[in-house]
Amino acid sequence: MTVTTSPTTWPTGPGAPLDDATIARIDAWWRAANYLSVGQIYLLDNPMLRTELARDHVKPRLLGHWGTTPGLNFVYAHLNRAIIERQLSTMYITGPGHGGPGLVANSYLEGRYSEVYPDVSQDDEGMRRLFRQFSFPGGIPSHVAPETPGSIHEGGELGYALSHAYGAAFDNPDLLVAAVVGDGEAETGPLATSWHSNKFVNPAKDGVVLPILHLNGYKIANPTVLARISDDELRALMVGYGHKPHFFTGGFDGEDHAAAHRRFAELLDVVLDEIAEIKARAADGDESRPMWPMIVLRTPKGWTCPPQIDGKRTEDSWRAHQVPLASARDTPEHLDILRGWLESYRAHELFDDAGRLVDDVAALAPAGELRMSANPHANGGLLMKDLRLPDFRDFAVDVPAPGATVNEATRVLGEYLTEVIRRNPTNFRIFGPDETASNRLQAVFDATDKVWNADFLDTDIDDHLARAGRVMEMLSEHQCQGWLEGYLLTGRHGMFNCYEAFIHIVDSMVNQHAKWLKVTRELPWRRPIASLNYLLSSHVWRQDHNGFSHQDPGFIDHVVNKKAEVVRVYLPFDANTLLSTYDHCLRSRNYVNVVVAGKQPNPNLLTMDEAVAHCERGVGIWDWAGTEVPGEDPDVVLGCAGDVPTIETLAAADLLRRHIPDLKVRVVNVVDLMRLQDSTEHPHGLSDRDFDTLFTTTRPVVFAYHGYPWLIHRLTYRRAGHSNIHVRGYKEEGTTTTPFDMVMLNDLDRFHLVMDVIDRVPGLGSRYASLRQRMQDERLRAREYTRTYGEDLPEIRDWVWPDAGETGTEASGPQTNAAASTGGDNE
Amino acid sequence: MTVTTSPTTWPTGPGAPLDDATIARIDAWWRAANYLSVGQIYLLDNPMLRTELARDHVKPRLLGHWGTTPGLNFVYAHLNRAIIERQLSTMYITGPGHGGPGLVANSYLEGRYSEVYPDVSQDDEGMRRLFRQFSFPGGIPSHVAPETPGSIHEGGELGYALSHAYGAAFDNPDLLVAAVVGDGEAETGPLATSWHSNKFVNPAKDGVVLPILHLNGYKIANPTVLARISDDELRALMVGYGHKPHFFTGGFDGEDHAAAHRRFAELLDVVLDEIAEIKARAADGDESRPMWPMIVLRTPKGWTCPPQIDGKRTEDSWRAHQVPLASARDTPEHLDILRGWLESYRAHELFDDAGRLVDDVAALAPAGELRMSANPHANGGLLMKDLRLPDFRDFAVDVPAPGATVNEATRVLGEYLTEVIRRNPTNFRIFGPDETASNRLQAVFDATDKVWNADFLDTDIDDHLARAGRVMEMLSEHQCQGWLEGYLLTGRHGMFNCYEAFIHIVDSMVNQHAKWLKVTRELPWRRPIASLNYLLSSHVWRQDHNGFSHQDPGFIDHVVNKKAEVVRVYLPFDANTLLSTYDHCLRSRNYVNVVVAGKQPNPNLLTMDEAVAHCERGVGIWDWAGTEVPGEDPDVVLGCAGDVPTIETLAAADLLRRHIPDLKVRVVNVVDLMRLQDSTEHPHGLSDRDFDTLFTTTRPVVFAYHGYPWLIHRLTYRRAGHSNIHVRGYKEEGTTTTPFDMVMLNDLDRFHLVMDVIDRVPGLGSRYASLRQRMQDERLRAREYTRTYGEDLPEIRDWVWPDAGETGTEASGPQTNAAASTGGDNE
């Protein structure tokens, strides 16, 4: 699969003058798109009005949004002319995604819709289906959804139009991304900061985003802020954002449509010429940041709908936002208004007797993949190439015995990612809110730089900043997520590294992406794309610098509400399991992969071969840590998931082995969290038989978990032995602490786990009352020590699995664990 | 409790010249604050360096953030001078909240810290405790947390400094809120849009926010965007945001500190004079939007720390972000650097032999409540007055029989809120992202207007916009949440109405607010504040216009991860229960109340007396809907929570009564979701005994729930009968549908519930195989109908509880249910 247009130099200047025939063709296309949009919202039948419009031709439930649609159609028609003139591969991002009927209409006019959905043919019957299906049970959504050809941006939740647009443009130097930003959307936070994306785009190596701020003036029931400040302020704002604004106002005071078309076409040529000049300068080696042009487009909301309905101003008002004539079926007079509105587009001039778009208008559709509805970038799976991945085993750390060596897991992952970057110089990027080094992935800077196209100072302080690179850092989780989504949806690969607590900032965005993936899986023409891979580090248990505000493991809970076929959650506990996990994630498709991994020095537990086998199973019994007798059920199962809980569990197993030597303990570690769920609920879920074999159906399970404890109950509530499972996790208790203080605050520490075992295994309570007391005393001693000395007891801090030898030493590479003694988390 | 300063006119001009003594005093205060900040980060003991600094005097784990701190201290010192000069009640919002040591230091210098925490006295021993406790186990957090006097803004998660500041300023006409915005924070989306808050503030009726954009140039490991664009662009950006920017650069190239102080003091006078002029104009009746001044403050990051450490530039670089000298204990040389750094502040000039701040420096602290650390607005509970609430029973709708009347619940609530607004004209506001009318609260506009201080057009189209009012609408959930938090934290009341799906946009913000509340409950000096009340409407089951992207009930799941004592969740199912619920919420304190309620016409089920009793219990058996025999356990329990699930449950009960007349059915409705949880886990939780009485321990429970089904399992997993509970809820299935199609897609419909009963009650499966088949057929027929006609079968759409009479009619008020036939949701 290839992109049709891949000009070696950016195309310049229009090839044809703006003659009256061209203007008329643009207007005809616009009328056709508007007609089809109105038809979708209102008509159940009689699409070409071949018979007189009757009440029964109108849908009983009128749904959808008209207000933004004519403006979107206006821009689309004009872009088509420019695309033909310049042969410019162009994507269309519609921030006001509820203008769905417009995008569907344009796709239909371009013939693309019928290619994808042959039932919706280019004739009367096809048009009937086109109208009927819109916002209709069993039909299509009202938004620019996955079902809409040419879309990567549904626009249901507002705020991400520009982030998605830039994500699409990165590493696509020949691509123009026209991004309409609604003036409602422009009030959102994510959109407000996404204008600064122009400091992160390279004029030579990336494509071009053309923002079109559409001031139609109104939201649902209010004017918009940006439409109600002076042009001077708005111009200053755009200049402040780093753009050269071009203002266009059209459609007011009865302006002739042809005149408006001519003016906008001329403006679009000016803007595209400016872009071509910038691209030419960049091709000559000037990659510095230009003031990219953008357009402020002021048109009436609901342009071309009835100016007044029932004496109330409708066009150019918030009343046009949704269905301006919701009363169309109520009275003959209202039906007549709808008829007149439909007829105003003169559809009989645009479609022939069979309902097919007439050739002269159809000529405004570009050819093949130059049609915005058929641009292959908007179906990224078509273009996606597998990553060239190194063998992650080459980056393994040496583990002579469990816990015998210590590493910072993410630092080791960074070395692997360095090689991923080297092998994939144009289709893999790492995104993060200024945390890539803090999360200890800094090895990647051996192979690449952080993209920066604002001003530079000297190289000492501008550490690995460059005009091009593979790492994208801006202090906005929204921006990182939006960029990455746009990058993935256009067929590339990437990952998002973030502090665990603050990934909640993009909760709503991952909702929308997961919904998008869920729907695309049901659309055979949408090809699979690379998974959205998170690396959440600086996690809840190690917020040494930051405390309570930085402690929240709930993102896992959030994502598991999404469709099971889309969501994966991994909790690798050491360097080798993290390597194995991430290799798997980078190879996967159409998932949201959440990987939580620590960045602090942590004992390595498994050799690479063991790690691969363990990750393959996702859950497993660690014989080396338990004391069970083959062929017998253990007395107790210690479950664990997550790096800190795993170490506490091992330490508890160690204590139990020493103090209750006859107790048969089984240690089960879970690295793929979804294994806990029922196989009927999640594709990764264990069968009941396998689950019961691991956890037994009758023995107490003390489970130490990284996050909120209830999630383990939620995932396992259907299991036979569920009532035996006792979970320790994060209970929203924490502040400034030492690492061990933190686990103690939440009763997840080794001593408490031992107490839990004593409390739960029948008969232990009386026999080991003094041991239980001693565990309490150990906790008090540990707490007292931290409160006196500000650090953990050496025997706790330096505890290693007894088979590991004297102390944990670093396994490989240039790593130090100095951070362990002085704190740790950056920020 | 009263505010000390309540000038009738805004104070103007400084009363004293900027003589050298004043400048020296500012510098002395600044040095003192910096010294105390460095001391907190590094010193375990020997706070005044009365003996030679030794390794053991240095904390073993060095935690915290130095970089932003000297800039925060600089501004604080200068504000103090201005406060004294002008007697201006001032709050200090520190966007870079990790500059915690600075705010603690200033509070300590003002004597406030010792008032709140007497152990931390103003002497050597107190200073030792001050230093030791910082970021120390059992001590205080590193951020400007609830523990910090004068703070309403922890700043742990970045982005909300200005929203909080404006929230504090609303309805506090005599208050100045100085808000430092870090240049890292300025990259976040929420902050980027919050500048536009100036279009929503009234110069006469609200206080003043003075934004201070602190360009210290670096984040954790990168420069900041706004520090690396030209002054021209930055000036344009601020003008575009509606501000008059004043630029200040100080501390570079060896500038004398006195010179920098003088220049900044002069600038601050200019800025405060401009504000006073604006306030004077407003007092004269000009409430139009001025270009409010703001300050761009460019100082070196880590100002006054060692310029270089180990040959690497530290001051004025990202290396100063956290602990610039993490190696202080490692070598004698590094210890010596720390000693030199500490000594550079000449603490012996600032503190006397007992460790007490010398009088001349202490004179820079304003008096009493004029101290920013003692401003009562920053401990809002001190100032909070109870709302004057009408009797919600006066707004009851008439319910002659269950389902006999129909209302849009939120519309009825709007009438009640109208009266709340009338009675509380200055301390209650409603916030929403352009959805107050869409969520059908529009009755409130009988009593008030929407605040708008951008441009106006004519009054027809600028519907209920005014320069002052009680409703705040901007299309930014972040902004709404941030404003409301700021408003509540300063002792007022309010609510946030939002589409259910998009409240996830503020997931991370509600995390932080819930954490704040959790901590303040443990601080006796922090007085309780009004709860944060959500009204989530346009919910998952009725996204008629919008479909899949607008369907997400997971916010409930999100909030229940927070501390049980902070979180309440209510699912009122009709107008009277919503009234009763909301009255309760508005009276509550220190909670996050999540109320989910429909806006569509819905049968009224309970009279007001019944509603009050039901809400009081939070959960109850509906005898009128069931068929059980007194004194016997029922055969099956139908549980329900949420308006749509409740109607489907009643319809299922109706079907069961008609088709399986001998089946003993119990209907249990849950309005207070936390009742399901164990009483040991949540203060609202039912005891096991009460729960078992309601749901039995042995009979099947078919539970129809508003949200994701697993939450019910999570809340009930400890209950004896848990394994009998079968939950239907939202399964991430939905797109454009009719209301009944939507419930069918998720198997929550009445027919499926009947099938569930047949499948689960022993013996029914064989006896009622044909009824089960008929239910399947009814579903197919219902689906077929929607796909043909685009609306629900009339007998389903118009179904009413059989005792209700012929049809549901509207109960009271000016409401229509026209929306029911044409769609419904706006947007």
Side-chain angles (χ1 to χ4, degrees), chain A residues 61 65 132 142 187 193 219-220 222 322 434 473 507 515 544-545 551-552 562 788 825 827, chain B residues 61 65 132 142 187 193 219-220 222 322 434 473 507 515 544-545 551-552 562 788 825 827:
Chain A
R61 302 177 83 235
H65 296 77
R132 185 185 185 84
S142 59
E187 294 178 17
T193 204
K219 296 170 288 196
I220 302 179
N222 285 297
Q322 212 172 57
D434 189 32
E473 296 211 308
D507 272 5
K515 283 174 183 278
D544 309 353
H545 279 277
Q551 293 162 350
D552 194 302
K562 299 298 115 185
T788 308
D825 288 348
E827 156 116 3
Chain B
R61 302 177 83 236
H65 296 77
R132 185 183 185 85
S142 59
E187 294 179 17
T193 204
K219 296 171 289 195
I220 302 179
N222 285 296
Q322 211 172 57
D434 189 31
E473 297 212 308
D507 273 5
K515 283 173 182 279
D544 308 357
H545 278 277
Q551 293 162 351
D552 194 303
K562 298 299 116 186
T788 307
D825 288 347
E827 157 113 1

Side-chain angles (χ1 to χ4, degrees), chain B residues 745-759:
Chain B
L745 264 176
N746 290 280
D747 299 336
L748 183 77
D749 57 284
R750 56 199 68 179
F751 304 125
H752 213 290
L753 295 177
V754 170
M755 289 158 54
D756 285 338
V757 170
I758 294 171
D759 292 346

Side-chain angles (χ1 to χ4, degrees), chain A residues 107-123:
Chain A
S107 170
Y108 179 76
L109 292 174
E110 292 184 328
R112 178 63 180 161
Y113 207 88
S114 305
E115 291 167 18
V116 174
Y117 306 107
D119 268 5
V120 185
S121 47
Q122 294 184 287
D123 51 27

Side-chain angles (χ1 to χ4, degrees), chain A residues 151-227:
Chain A
S151 172
I152 63 163
H153 176 84
E154 176 151 0
E157 181 176 297
L158 301 174
Y160 320 118
L162 287 181
S163 298
H164 283 168
Y166 278 94
F170 295 143
D171 293 319
N172 276 324
D174 303 320
L175 183 67
L176 177 70
V177 186
V180 177
V181 176
D183 48 355
E185 170 170 33
E187 294 178 17
T188 67
L191 198 290
T193 204
S194 65
W195 295 102
H196 290 298
S197 298
N198 55 29
K199 283 94 188 174
F200 298 87
V201 70
N202 181 294
K205 298 184 175 64
D206 298 323
V208 176
V209 173
L210 172 60
I212 301 167
L213 176 61
H214 186 199
L215 296 184
N216 72 27
Y218 300 93
K219 296 170 288 196
I220 302 179
N222 285 297
T224 59
V225 170
L226 295 191

